Amino acid sequence: MGYIMTNTAIPTPIKNILTSQPIAIPVFHEVAIKLLQMMNGNFYKIEEVIILVHEDQALASEMLKCANSTYYSGQTPISTIKNAILRLGSQQIVNLAFSASMSNTKSDNALINAHMKNLWSHCRAVAKTSAYLALEVSHDKKIPELNHDEVYLAGLLHDIGKLYLLKVIDSLMMSDTIHPDNSLIEDILVELNTQQGVKVMKHYNIPDIYSDLLDRLIRDNWKCGSNDHFVATVRLADKMHYCREHDIDITDSIDACDISDEMSFLDMNDVSELNNLVNIIIE
């Protein structure tokens, strides 16, 4: 989770090894990165997108499934990638690509694989909740910055530093370089998440709005007058699911769960409604 910081005692040699690793280990599927960079430039041709999508059959299948989902019920069934792209739009396609990439991340190491599964579950839940909150807030306040599809991707990527670190640890364990136990792995993920997450995003030229989010997830003074609602929705979703995963009842005390600032900023005061939302999201 982004907003918790601890004074951990990661041995200096291990920290130096981890932070000095180049971004040589693939964190995302290449197709996801290419799609994001292509569509962020707003000069792509649909034929180029089709070629890219066809490189990843899992993504192609997911796109067709999504384009024919109940959300689009009543519309003409779609059977081609081109029509799926036209129906879904560029941001949803990018979201699906990153989602497919992250959900398929696995390790032969049981300990690392367990962390990866938990991380994917958390990021997916935060993405879905963030997008829902963005829809609610933007509907009430007419806030242009809250594009729910962009917020969804922000939720997916908010702990990307942890995914990178798990891949690095996995590689170093395979080469017999380090042998961390579960406690040390958890300390590493908490302490180095933001630093390494920003490093990954800069390497892949992911838009600044997402890397800026990582830093603001861990700061008490997170409001800066730019994209504050964007950040608040992800912070709130992140905290809500962290509490849920650690059996902390957010209805007991908003302050104890540290969500009062975000709720106040987003003009939300019904914590029970938020709790019900979490229950729906994780089902």
Side-chain angles (χ1 to χ4, degrees):
M1 179 175 176
Y3 74 97
I4 288 184
M5 295 295 288
T6 61
N7 296 316
T8 57
I10 301 173
T12 300
I14 291 182
K15 182 183 289 189
N16 290 340
I17 290 172
L18 291 169
T19 56
S20 64
Q21 295 299 306
I23 311 291
I25 300 174
V27 181
F28 305 111
H29 194 294
E30 188 177 0
V31 169
I33 293 297
K34 286 182 178 179
L35 281 171
L36 177 62
Q37 293 174 346
M38 180 186 294
M39 294 179 174
N40 189 51
N42 293 318
F43 53 80
Y44 63 90
K45 296 179 179 178
I46 193 168
E47 291 77 15
E48 295 173 328
V49 179
I50 293 170
I51 291 171
L52 262 181
V53 170
H54 277 299
E55 291 182 16
D56 186 340
Q57 287 305 307
L59 172 59
S61 298
E62 192 62 28
M63 282 179 56
L64 289 172
K65 177 182 175 182
C66 185
N68 289 296
S69 66
T70 54
Y71 183 81
Y72 297 101
S73 61
Q75 298 190 31
T76 305
I78 279 178
S79 59
T80 68
I81 294 300
K82 180 177 181 179
N83 287 337
I85 292 169
L86 293 173
R87 175 171 289 182
L88 296 174
S90 61
Q91 187 64 53
Q92 272 208 57
I93 294 167
V94 169
N95 291 353
L96 285 171
F98 276 93
S99 181
S101 174
M102 293 173 68
S103 65
N104 289 324
T105 302
K106 296 177 176 63
S107 169
D108 291 332
N109 182 305
L111 178 59
I112 298 297
N113 199 54
H115 277 284
M116 286 179 171
K117 287 178 65 176
N118 289 337
L119 179 62
W120 163 241
S121 178
H122 174 75
C123 289
R124 182 171 179 269
V126 170
K128 292 172 68 176
T129 303
S130 298
Y132 180 89
L133 291 173
L135 281 171
E136 290 293 301
V137 174
S138 61
H139 178 266
D140 292 341
K141 293 189 170 185
K142 306 287 192 298
I143 301 171
E145 76 185 57
L146 280 183
N147 178 302
H148 71 281
D149 284 329
E150 288 185 352
V151 174
Y152 182 93
L153 183 57
L156 274 185
L157 300 181
H158 81 285
D159 268 345
I160 202 58
K162 292 183 179 180
L163 179 57
Y164 167 72
L165 286 164
L166 286 171
K167 284 177 169 273
V168 169
I169 294 169
D170 193 25
S171 177
L172 292 173
M173 290 177 73
M174 287 176 64
S175 65
D176 244 4
T177 305
I178 62 173
H179 298 282
D181 59 14
N182 188 60
S183 178
L184 179 54
I185 290 174
E186 290 180 350
D187 287 344
I188 290 169
L189 297 182
V190 170
E191 185 170 331
L192 301 180
N193 178 27
T194 299
Q195 174 192 4
Q196 298 306 302
V198 171
K199 177 180 173 182
V200 168
M201 289 194 173
K202 297 297 184 184
H203 175 81
Y204 287 113
N205 294 317
I206 293 175
D208 290 343
I209 190 173
Y210 299 107
S211 56
D212 174 62
L213 167 74
L214 301 191
D215 178 55
R216 292 166 69 181
L217 282 175
I218 64 172
R219 289 200 275 122
D220 290 334
N221 58 335
W222 55 273
K223 295 183 284 288
C224 68
S226 175
N227 297 319
D228 288 346
H229 290 88
F230 182 91
V231 174
T233 56
V234 182
R235 281 177 62 99
L236 180 55
D238 186 24
K239 291 182 178 185
M240 287 163 57
H241 285 286
Y242 176 88
C243 290
R244 180 78 188 198
E245 292 152 12
H246 291 79
D247 296 321
I248 302 171
D249 188 347
I250 64 173
T251 61
D252 284 346
S253 172
I254 296 177
D255 292 325
C257 298
D258 196 26
I259 59 175
S260 56
D261 192 21
E262 291 80 7
M263 286 189 65
S264 175
F265 184 79
L266 295 172
D267 277 345
M268 294 182 170
N269 51 32
D270 191 340
V271 69
S272 296
E273 183 178 331
L274 282 177
N275 194 47
N276 290 336
L277 169 63
V278 174
N279 291 333
I280 293 170
I281 291 294
I282 65 173
E283 288 178 356

